[in-house]
Amino acid sequence: MKILVINSGSSSIKYQLFDLARRVVLASGLVERIGESAGRVRHTVVATGAEQVLNRPIVDHRDGLRRMADLLLAANSGVIATPGEIAAIGHRVVHGGEQFSQPTVITEAVKATIRDLSPFAPLHNPANLQGIDVAEEIFPEATQVAVFDTAFHQTMPAMAYRYAVPNDLYAKHGIRVYGFHGTSHWYVSKRAAAYLDASAESLNLITAHLGNGASITAVQGGMSVDTSMGFSPLDGLIMGTRSGDLDPAVVFYLSERLGMSLADIDKLLNKQSGLLGLTGANDLRDIEARAQHGDNAAQLALEMYAYRIRKYIGAYMAALGRVDALVFTAGVGENSVTVRRMVCEPLSYLGIVLDEALNRAGGSGMVTAIHSAESRVQILIIPTNEELEIAEQTAALLTAGTVS
Ligand code: ADP
């Protein structure tokens, strides 16, 4: 069964074509700088390793997805011969609100709800919808499925997802914690269960997704019970360019005393803060290198970054009561020996004991255990794969017969 996964963002489209029967990626690509004067399409046929790069303006999402379709259908690529070969398309959709807690076959009503949720994710949901509209035109025979970033967190109890603000703001306006990166947290939870040879239902996990965006989730019996991103992805951990946790009074102060507009404050906290605001760089590799060369700002940024993660681990140990495993995933979680050490070393009295030799050797694209024998909590590096998870959830909907 061939499943295409599309992640249609505001100015880019990422895609992967899976042959799920063989669990392989047939082709993948990235359409960048949509709507700008210089656009680019990069397409790779995985079996041959052949890469094609088109440097040309991409007018809009329709243009970008048509380029993708042409490349997938190219006579010499051997990927697909007709659009009808693609059984289903899994679309990443950022915000599903309280309406979607499961992957969902896309209908006109589903699209209308995704549109209604756009005020919650003004950059993402409209772009996701554009991807859906164009994919329906180009692949009319394929079942279109939406897989939501927020869905996994819909199991949180009210005591975790409610903010202590007047009830009407929740009841009438949906002001609450939604949480994001759900596809990744669920994927690594399942991988952890498989690795530990246990059922997801029997395990309590803390999953740390540390990429450019970062979030950490308490997973009890296969269900999210708390997560660090909130109403939007701005909350929680320190990220590449986002501040994470911040007293909202700072916003009032910036507005009243510094005369900043709401749009400027939004930009400041989402795009100019986090590691970038602290050091001038948002890539953790650069910051680690600078810290090694004695740069105090870089060293402090690393300490703040790890300390914030540690505080959440402590909080989620309290929320879960018993923790079987701590999982590190995404770019930083899978690759940074330093961050994993700085997070775990001070936690040994809580039963999280890292083995530094295993930590240094780990993270080669495989699931790796990096705790020492006396650790009560297993510490795992698990490479995430959100696209595969979206493909599998999409395929599961098809085979469950939910589709007529
Ligand atoms: P995204 O959220 O964009 O999908 P990724 O999960 O790919 O991000 O993570 C990107 C980040 O991972 C980079 O900004 C970089 O800071 C970090 N990273 C990648 N490789 C390493 C490494 N070897 N050491 C430290 N950090 C790394």
Side-chain angles (χ1 to χ4, degrees), residues 14 181 209-214 240 275 282-288 305 329-339 384 386-387:
K14 288 186 205 143
H181 289 147
H209 176 109
L210 311 176
N212 253 323
L275 295 173
N282 70 328
D283 193 304
L284 204 94
R285 283 165 289 205
D286 298 338
I287 296 166
E288 285 183 7
Y305 184 90
T329 194
V332 176
E334 291 167 31
N335 296 300
S336 175
V337 174
T338 306
V339 164
T384 194
E386 288 161 283
E387 292 78 14

Side-chain angles (χ1 to χ4, degrees), residues 41-333:
V41 184
R42 210 171 56 223
H43 176 83
T44 305
V45 177
V46 176
T48 57
E51 190 182 72
Q52 265 176 284
V53 180
L54 304 178
N55 285 307
R56 47 154 291 153
I58 308 294
V59 183
D60 54 17
H61 285 69
R62 174 168 287 102
D63 187 19
L65 284 172
R66 287 220 176 273
R67 298 282 144 212
M68 172 199 75
D70 289 347
L71 287 160
L72 290 172
L73 286 158
N76 56 356
S77 79
V79 182
I80 48 168
T82 65
E85 272 181 58
I86 293 179
I89 302 182
H91 295 269
R92 176 192 181 218
V93 180
V94 165
H95 215 302
E98 290 189 334
Q99 287 87 332
F100 298 108
S101 57
Q102 299 289 336
T104 304
V105 175
I106 296 170
T107 60
E108 287 306 312
V110 168
K111 284 200 281 183
T113 309
I114 296 172
R115 195 168 301 116
D116 290 345
L117 290 166
S118 289
F120 288 133
L123 291 180
H124 292 102
N125 274 28
N128 301 155
L129 270 174
Q130 275 189 299
I132 292 169
D133 282 336
V134 184
E136 284 176 338
E137 276 173 39
I138 302 178
F139 301 97
E141 291 161 60
T143 302
Q144 314 277 337
V145 171
V147 177
F148 299 91
D149 252 26
T150 48
F152 180 56
H153 301 299
Q154 278 298 302
T155 48
M156 282 189 290
M159 66 179 173
Y161 72 68
R162 286 290 299 276
Y163 291 121
V165 295
N167 289 325
D168 269 4
L169 288 180
Y170 168 63
K172 294 201 182 128
H173 301 286
I175 306 295
R176 53 159 285 177
V177 170
Y178 289 100
F180 299 86
H181 289 147
T183 308
S184 176
H185 289 293
W186 177 224
Y187 176 80
V188 297
S189 299
K190 286 192 292 184
R191 292 288 305 269
Y195 180 81
L196 298 172
D197 203 15
S199 67
E201 291 71 31
S202 68
L203 292 174
N204 284 354
L205 305 170
I206 297 175
T207 53
H209 176 109
L210 311 176
N212 253 323
S215 67
I216 183 162
T217 297
V219 184
Q220 188 166 45
M223 290 187 286
S224 169
V225 292
D226 206 347
T227 193
S228 61
M229 284 179 167
F231 177 73
S232 83
L234 181 54
D235 210 7
L237 303 180
I238 295 172
M239 311 183 209
T241 63
R242 295 189 194 119
S243 64
D245 291 345
L246 184 89
D247 182 344
V250 172
V251 176
F252 317 145
Y253 191 91
L254 293 175
S255 162
E256 283 163 15
R257 306 291 300 200
L258 275 67
M260 288 179 74
S261 68
L262 284 179
D264 285 345
I265 298 172
D266 185 331
K267 190 169 163 206
L268 176 87
L269 298 178
N270 273 298
K271 302 251 188 267
Q272 299 166 338
S273 294
L275 295 173
L276 180 68
L278 292 167
T279 67
N282 70 328
D283 193 304
L284 204 94
R285 283 165 289 205
D286 298 338
I287 296 166
E288 285 183 7
R290 286 198 211 168
Q292 265 186 340
H293 289 95
D295 180 326
N296 290 334
Q299 181 60 31
L300 175 63
L302 280 178
E303 283 168 12
M304 289 171 66
Y305 184 90
Y307 178 63
R308 184 79 56 87
I309 297 168
R310 264 199 327 270
K311 284 210 292 189
Y312 272 94
I313 291 172
Y316 290 167
M317 290 183 94
L320 291 167
R322 184 199 86 229
V323 178
D324 299 297
L326 166 64
V327 176
F328 286 99
T329 194
V332 176

